[in-house]
Amino acid sequence: MLLNLLAGLPVMLFCLLMQAVFVTLCLRYYVHFRHAQPSYESQWLNILLLSMVMLLMMLGNFVQIAIWATLFMLLNEFDQFATALYHSAVNFATLGYGDIIMSSRWRLLGPLEAANGILMFGVSTAVMTAAVMDVIKHNMDRLRQRERP
Protein backbone atom coordinates (compact mmCIF):
# COMPACT_ATOMS: atom_id res chain seq x y z
CA MET A 1 0.00 0.00 0.00
CA LEU A 2 2.81 2.43 0.88
CA LEU A 3 4.51 1.64 -2.41
CA ASN A 4 1.29 2.54 -4.26
CA LEU A 5 1.11 5.87 -2.46
CA LEU A 6 4.79 6.61 -3.12
CA ALA A 7 4.26 5.96 -6.83
CA GLY A 8 0.82 7.54 -7.18
CA LEU A 9 0.90 10.65 -5.01
CA PRO A 10 3.64 12.42 -6.98
CA VAL A 11 1.70 11.76 -10.18
CA MET A 12 -1.49 13.01 -8.54
CA LEU A 13 0.26 16.17 -7.34
CA PHE A 14 1.73 16.72 -10.80
CA CYS A 15 -1.76 16.33 -12.31
CA LEU A 16 -3.16 18.83 -9.81
CA LEU A 17 -0.45 21.29 -10.80
CA MET A 18 -1.12 20.69 -14.49
CA GLN A 19 -4.84 21.24 -14.00
CA ALA A 20 -4.09 24.52 -12.24
CA VAL A 21 -1.98 25.56 -15.24
CA PHE A 22 -4.75 24.59 -17.70
CA VAL A 23 -7.37 26.45 -15.62
CA THR A 24 -5.19 29.55 -15.38
CA LEU A 25 -4.38 29.59 -19.09
CA CYS A 26 -7.96 28.86 -20.08
CA LEU A 27 -9.45 31.60 -17.92
CA ARG A 28 -6.70 34.09 -18.76
CA TYR A 29 -7.28 33.72 -22.50
CA TYR A 30 -11.04 33.69 -22.04
CA VAL A 31 -10.98 36.96 -20.09
CA HIS A 32 -8.44 38.50 -22.46
CA PHE A 33 -10.48 37.63 -25.54
CA ARG A 34 -13.77 38.65 -23.91
CA HIS A 35 -12.43 42.09 -22.94
CA ALA A 36 -10.46 42.65 -26.15
CA GLN A 37 -13.72 42.51 -28.12
CA PRO A 38 -16.23 44.31 -25.84
CA SER A 39 -18.21 45.98 -28.61
CA TYR A 40 -18.40 42.97 -30.90
CA GLU A 41 -21.13 40.56 -29.85
CA SER A 42 -22.56 37.55 -31.53
CA GLN A 43 -23.88 34.18 -30.56
CA TRP A 44 -21.13 32.63 -32.66
CA LEU A 45 -18.52 34.37 -30.53
CA ASN A 46 -20.15 32.94 -27.40
CA ILE A 47 -20.25 29.48 -28.95
CA LEU A 48 -16.60 29.76 -29.96
CA LEU A 49 -15.52 30.94 -26.51
CA LEU A 50 -17.44 28.23 -24.66
CA SER A 51 -16.22 25.56 -27.09
CA MET A 52 -12.63 26.63 -26.57
CA VAL A 53 -13.03 26.48 -22.79
CA MET A 54 -14.51 22.99 -23.03
CA LEU A 55 -11.84 21.77 -25.45
CA LEU A 56 -8.98 23.12 -23.33
CA MET A 57 -10.35 21.57 -20.17
CA MET A 58 -10.87 18.21 -21.88
CA LEU A 59 -7.35 18.42 -23.31
CA GLY A 60 -6.05 18.94 -19.77
CA ASN A 61 -7.95 15.87 -18.59
CA PHE A 62 -6.69 13.80 -21.52
CA VAL A 63 -3.09 14.80 -20.81
CA GLN A 64 -3.54 13.65 -17.22
CA ILE A 65 -4.95 10.32 -18.40
CA ALA A 66 -1.85 9.92 -20.57
CA ILE A 67 0.42 10.75 -17.61
CA TRP A 68 -1.20 8.04 -15.50
CA ALA A 69 -0.90 5.61 -18.43
CA THR A 70 2.79 6.46 -18.64
CA LEU A 71 3.17 5.61 -14.95
CA PHE A 72 1.49 2.26 -15.59
CA MET A 73 3.91 1.59 -18.44
CA LEU A 74 6.90 2.55 -16.27
CA LEU A 75 5.69 0.07 -13.66
CA ASN A 76 5.54 -2.62 -16.40
CA GLU A 77 1.84 -3.19 -15.85
CA PHE A 78 0.96 -3.19 -19.54
CA ASP A 79 2.73 -4.21 -22.74
CA GLN A 80 1.09 -1.60 -24.96
CA PHE A 81 0.54 2.09 -24.31
CA ALA A 82 -2.94 1.89 -25.86
CA THR A 83 -3.99 -0.65 -23.22
CA ALA A 84 -2.49 1.45 -20.44
CA LEU A 85 -4.27 4.52 -21.83
CA TYR A 86 -7.60 2.70 -21.96
CA HIS A 87 -7.19 1.41 -18.42
CA SER A 88 -6.18 4.88 -17.25
CA ALA A 89 -9.20 6.48 -18.91
CA VAL A 90 -11.53 3.97 -17.26
CA ASN A 91 -9.98 4.76 -13.87
CA PHE A 92 -9.84 8.54 -14.39
CA ALA A 93 -13.49 8.69 -15.46
CA THR A 94 -14.41 6.40 -12.53
CA LEU A 95 -16.14 3.92 -14.83
CA GLY A 96 -14.49 0.88 -13.28
CA TYR A 97 -15.26 -1.63 -16.03
CA GLY A 98 -12.88 -4.22 -14.62
CA ASP A 99 -12.20 -5.80 -18.02
CA ILE A 100 -8.50 -4.96 -17.63
CA ILE A 101 -7.00 -5.09 -14.17
CA MET A 102 -3.57 -4.36 -12.79
CA SER A 103 -1.48 -6.77 -10.75
CA SER A 104 -2.27 -6.96 -7.07
CA ARG A 105 0.97 -5.10 -6.34
CA TRP A 106 -0.23 -1.91 -8.09
CA ARG A 107 -4.00 -2.34 -8.00
CA LEU A 108 -4.50 0.49 -5.45
CA LEU A 109 -3.30 2.99 -8.06
CA GLY A 110 -6.71 2.60 -9.74
CA PRO A 111 -8.72 4.16 -6.90
CA LEU A 112 -6.04 6.81 -6.46
CA GLU A 113 -6.34 7.77 -10.12
CA ALA A 114 -10.13 7.70 -9.82
CA ALA A 115 -9.97 10.15 -6.91
CA ASN A 116 -7.72 12.35 -9.02
CA GLY A 117 -10.04 12.08 -12.01
CA ILE A 118 -13.27 12.88 -10.20
CA LEU A 119 -11.62 15.93 -8.66
CA MET A 120 -10.29 17.09 -12.04
CA PHE A 121 -13.63 16.61 -13.78
CA GLY A 122 -15.17 18.67 -10.98
CA VAL A 123 -12.65 21.45 -11.55
CA SER A 124 -13.27 21.29 -15.31
CA THR A 125 -17.00 21.52 -14.71
CA ALA A 126 -16.51 24.53 -12.44
CA VAL A 127 -14.45 26.34 -15.09
CA MET A 128 -17.02 25.62 -17.78
CA THR A 129 -19.82 26.76 -15.47
CA ALA A 130 -17.96 29.99 -14.73
CA ALA A 131 -17.59 30.64 -18.48
CA VAL A 132 -21.28 29.92 -19.12
CA MET A 133 -22.30 32.20 -16.25
CA ASP A 134 -20.08 34.96 -17.66
CA VAL A 135 -21.70 34.63 -21.08
CA ILE A 136 -25.17 34.78 -19.49
CA LYS A 137 -24.20 37.83 -17.41
CA HIS A 138 -22.68 39.54 -20.44
CA ASN A 139 -25.84 38.92 -22.51
CA MET A 140 -28.12 40.09 -19.68
CA ASP A 141 -26.10 43.31 -19.33
CA ARG A 142 -26.36 43.87 -23.08
CA LEU A 143 -30.14 43.40 -22.98
CA ARG A 144 -30.49 45.83 -20.10
CA GLN A 145 -28.50 48.45 -21.99
CA ARG A 146 -30.80 48.10 -25.01
CA GLU A 147 -33.90 48.55 -22.85
CA ARG A 148 -32.72 51.82 -21.34
CA PRO A 149 -34.05 54.92 -23.12
Side-chain angles (χ1 to χ4, degrees):
M1 182 169 143
L2 184 59
L3 192 58
N4 283 262
L5 290 175
L6 289 174
L9 284 178
V11 173
M12 187 179 213
L13 291 173
F14 182 68
C15 287
L16 293 170
L17 179 65
M18 272 196 42
Q19 187 78 350
V21 169
F22 269 92
V23 168
T24 301
L25 290 174
C26 188
L27 292 178
R28 177 178 291 158
Y29 286 112
Y30 175 86
V31 168
H32 174 74
F33 190 80
R34 169 64 77 198
H35 293 295
Q37 307 284 338
S39 61
Y40 178 73
E41 262 314 310
S42 81
Q43 292 301 70
W44 292 110
L45 176 64
N46 291 333
I47 291 168
L48 175 66
L49 281 171
L50 293 175
S51 296
M52 291 309 296
V53 168
M54 289 181 222
L55 285 172
L56 283 172
M57 295 313 299
M58 285 304 298
L59 176 64
N61 289 327
F62 183 74
V63 168
Q64 292 174 69
I65 290 168
I67 290 168
W68 279 96
T70 301
L71 173 64
F72 299 155
M73 292 296 293
L74 291 172
L75 297 174
N76 293 318
E77 280 298 304
F78 300 102
D79 294 331
Q80 297 178 337
F81 185 74
T83 305
L85 189 65
Y86 168 77
H87 180 73
S88 179
V90 168
N91 284 336
F92 198 84
T94 68
L95 294 173
Y97 287 149
D99 55 339
I100 298 175
I101 58 172
M102 294 174 59
S103 67
S104 59
R105 179 178 188 189
W106 297 112
R107 198 168 293 160
L108 285 175
L109 287 175
L112 192 61
E113 183 184 7
N116 186 186
I118 197 71
L119 178 63
M120 295 303 100
F121 280 125
V123 170
S124 297
T125 301
V127 170
M128 289 184 256
T129 301
V132 168
M133 294 303 294
D134 183 66
V135 167
I136 291 169
K137 180 185 175 293
H138 195 73
N139 285 326
M140 292 299 291
D141 290 345
R142 228 179 68 235
L143 286 173
R144 284 187 194 112
Q145 288 175 354
R146 283 188 195 164
E147 292 173 355
R148 290 183 186 152

